[in-house]
């Protein structure tokens, strides 16, 4: 039986490109959002769809089982190159040369070019929606909700943490619970607040990765690689005068250094020309309260660097 190809003209190219940019290996949409012509084009169901969905471990979202996922043939997506087609066992055709064996050190994974291009066009509201729909890494199927960020969209200070915890995953807001209260107290001590209406005294708070790792384990390289473009776009849109990196993974992502926090704090770094100051994560300070004095010194250092950056910007504008 010949496989039925989906007519490319049936589906809106913008919709297909947006879905492809989410980075999933198969594109699934819910039948309820398809136009009548799109739904009709999918019937009868493509051969092998049920088996492919079962093999990929894809399920409907909790509480939304009444709307069955529909698989779209990725061969109709612009820019998609099918792999290992033409063989029911998944083996390459006889005419296809065997894959080359690559030797050498393993590189960190990178986000697909189409994903990067899509993210670069989004404003802050669109970026938040994109993040909520993202399934580019395995955490997308394990979270309750993505944690995009919160705060003034033009805040002078942007606080970057590592990853959401259980409470953040439940509430959809970064730095809540005991660690969040400690962070609020720390920021208030230097005249900053997450809910301040004045951009000079407000902060925008986000994490390097937007979904909670299982059991609050450390973020993995592929997860950081998929989320870093979202973080970079957040920073570009907020345009803070200072970045405060809290915790090892935030510090290493923004500074490019693999040194521990103890060697990175009390030093000035730059991320795309924005000053970066490194300090301990509030969750760590709850476990090691003796280091709160060091964190206070880091906040004072950050306040000094912020004042210097504002003075520089003011002099350049005059």
């Amino acid at each position: 039986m010949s496989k039925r190809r989906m007519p490319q003209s049936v589906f809106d190219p913008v919709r297909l490109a947006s879905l492809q940019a989410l980075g999933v290996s198969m594109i699934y949409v819910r039948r309820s959002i398809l136009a009548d012509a799109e739904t009709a084009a999918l019937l009868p169901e493509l051969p092998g769809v049920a088996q492919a969905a079962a093999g990929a471990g894809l399920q409907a979202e909790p509480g939304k089982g009444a709307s069955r996922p529909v698989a779209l043939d990725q061969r109709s997506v612009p820019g998609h190159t099918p792999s290992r087609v033409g063989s029911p066992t998944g083996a390459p055709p006889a005419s296809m040369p065997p894959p080359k064996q690559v030797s050498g050190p393993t590189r960190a994974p990178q986000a697909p070019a189409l994903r990067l291009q899509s993210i670069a066009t989004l404003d802050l509201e669109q970026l938040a929606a994109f993040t909520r729909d993202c399934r580019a890494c395995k955490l997308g199927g394990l979270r309750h909700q993505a944690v995009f960020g919160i705060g003034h969209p033009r805040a002078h200070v942007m606080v970057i943490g590592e990853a959401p915890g259980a409470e953040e995953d439940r509430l959809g807001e970064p730095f809540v619970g005991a660690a969040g209260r400690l962070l609020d107290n720390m920021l208030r001590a230097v005249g900053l607040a997450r809910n301040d209406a004045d951009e000079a005294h407000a902060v925008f708070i986000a994490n390097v990765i937007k979904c909670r790792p299982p059991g609050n384990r450390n973020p993995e390289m592929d997860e950081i690689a998929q989320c870093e473009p979202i973080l970079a776009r957040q920073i570009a849109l907020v345009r803070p005068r200072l970045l405060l990196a809290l915790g090892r993974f935030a510090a290493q992502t923004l500074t490019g250094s693999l040194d521990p926090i103890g060697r990175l704090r009390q030093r000035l770094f730059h991320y795309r020309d924005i000053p970066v100051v490194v300090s301990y994560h509030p969750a760590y300070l709850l476990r090691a309260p003796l280091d709160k004095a060091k964190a206070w010194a880091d906040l004072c250092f950050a306040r000094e660097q912020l004042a210097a950056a504002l003075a520089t910007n003011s002099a350049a504008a005059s």
Side-chain angles (χ1 to χ4, degrees):
M1 179 184 296
S2 61
K3 293 187 177 181
R4 180 182 174 215
R5 290 195 58 179
M6 191 57 52
Q8 180 172 341
S9 59
V10 171
F11 296 99
D12 177 28
V14 176
R15 186 208 298 274
L16 290 173
S18 299
L19 292 172
Q20 176 69 7
L22 294 178
V24 292
S25 57
M26 286 286 290
I27 294 177
Y28 281 80
V29 297
R30 301 205 170 276
R31 196 180 296 274
S32 58
I33 71 171
L34 294 178
D36 292 341
E38 294 174 326
T39 304
L42 292 172
L43 300 175
E45 191 173 53
L46 295 174
V49 167
Q51 293 86 343
L58 298 173
Q59 299 177 347
E61 295 181 31
K64 299 182 180 180
S67 179
R68 185 166 57 90
V70 178
L72 305 184
D73 187 349
Q74 274 198 332
R75 290 172 292 180
S76 65
V77 178
H80 175 72
T81 303
S83 60
R84 296 192 176 186
V85 295
S87 172
T89 62
S95 59
M96 181 181 298
K100 295 181 179 179
Q101 298 297 323
V102 180
S103 59
T106 302
R107 293 184 177 182
Q110 296 181 345
L114 182 58
R115 176 180 173 84
L116 298 178
Q117 295 169 6
S118 297
I119 290 174
T121 65
L122 304 177
D123 60 26
L124 205 59
E125 183 177 348
Q126 293 168 337
L127 187 64
F130 180 93
T131 304
R132 288 192 295 268
D133 292 338
C134 180
R135 298 294 189 275
C137 75
K138 54 186 173 296
L139 296 183
L142 302 175
R143 71 187 185 211
H144 285 94
Q145 55 185 320
V147 181
F148 177 71
I150 191 172
H152 197 292
R154 289 291 181 266
H156 283 184
V157 176
M158 192 165 176
V159 179
I160 310 297
E162 296 183 337
E167 282 297 292
E168 288 84 354
D169 179 57
R170 183 176 67 87
L171 299 175
E173 181 176 331
F175 283 96
V176 296
R181 290 190 293 271
L182 177 57
L183 175 62
D184 289 340
N185 292 336
M186 293 165 60
L187 294 174
R188 194 177 300 114
V190 290
L192 300 171
R194 72 170 75 195
N195 296 319
D196 202 298
D198 181 5
E199 62 187 38
H201 300 285
V203 296
F204 190 96
I205 306 177
N207 285 309
V208 172
I209 65 173
K210 312 305 182 185
C211 301
R212 181 198 179 200
N216 291 346
R217 62 159 172 76
N218 289 335
E220 296 179 355
M221 291 183 66
D222 64 313
E223 297 158 1
I224 294 175
Q226 297 298 333
C227 271
E228 189 173 4
I230 298 177
L231 175 63
R233 184 60 179 166
Q234 281 181 302
I235 295 172
L237 291 168
V238 176
R239 297 167 59 188
R241 308 301 197 275
L242 180 85
L243 292 167
L244 179 61
L246 302 180
R248 176 164 63 97
F249 292 96
Q252 292 178 352
T253 298
L254 295 177
T255 67
S257 172
L258 297 180
D259 288 343
I261 294 290
R263 294 182 182 177
L264 297 177
R265 52 180 299 272
Q266 293 292 301
R267 295 167 58 188
L268 184 64
F269 299 88
H270 286 83
Y271 178 86
R272 301 186 179 183
D273 297 328
I274 302 175
V276 178
V277 173
V278 172
S279 190
Y280 297 105
H281 196 283
Y284 165 79
L285 295 175
L286 292 174
R287 302 190 302 269
L290 294 180
D291 282 337
K292 288 183 179 180
K294 295 179 181 179
W296 170 247
D298 296 336
L299 287 176
C300 294
F301 180 67
R303 183 171 55 184
E304 295 170 2
Q305 299 305 321
L306 175 61
L310 291 174
T312 300
N313 292 339
S314 178
S318 61

